[in-house]
Amino acid sequence: YAPWCPFCQAMEAEFEKVAEDLASTGVTVAKYRGDQDREFVAKEFNVEAFPTINVLTKANGAVKYDSEVRDKDSILNFFNEQVELAAAAA
């Protein structure tokens, strides 16, 4: 996430909707200000550009959302797929 990034700004409302939908599940939805520590986010989370969405699980680590479709339902579908894959791997 970078506050100056127009693509980050454009997806902000959808990201907030994702956070609202997952709030009661115990899942943490967070924005990380990656522009302030680019080397760290590149190394640890494979961030090459902004915005980058990752799902972090114990089983699979950081898995990047590679679609440019950034609406609530698409992001939630990706999240649910990753949760299922992590559960199967555990």
Side-chain angles (χ1 to χ4, degrees):
Y1 166 76
W4 47 262
C5 168
F7 301 106
C8 295
Q9 294 167 3
M11 71 167 284
E12 183 105 27
E14 294 299 306
F15 193 76
E16 293 296 326
K17 291 176 189 174
V18 169
E20 289 172 15
D21 278 17
L22 295 175
S24 65
T25 67
V27 171
T28 300
V29 176
K31 293 187 298 188
Y32 181 83
R33 182 98 190 253
D35 64 331
Q36 293 182 335
D37 197 353
R38 288 183 184 220
E39 286 183 35
F40 172 77
V41 295
K43 179 181 172 190
E44 297 297 321
F45 303 111
N46 196 25
V47 173
E48 299 168 350
F50 301 109
T52 297
I53 299 170
N54 284 317
V55 172
L56 306 172
T57 65
K58 290 180 183 178
N60 298 324
V63 180
K64 186 187 290 189
Y65 177 71
D66 281 331
S67 176
E68 292 194 16
V69 179
R70 298 184 181 116
D71 63 90
K72 179 189 84 159
D73 291 334
S74 297
I75 296 168
L76 285 173
N77 286 337
F78 173 73
F79 170 79
N80 289 326
E81 289 171 7
Q82 295 309 310
V83 169
E84 289 176 16
L85 289 172

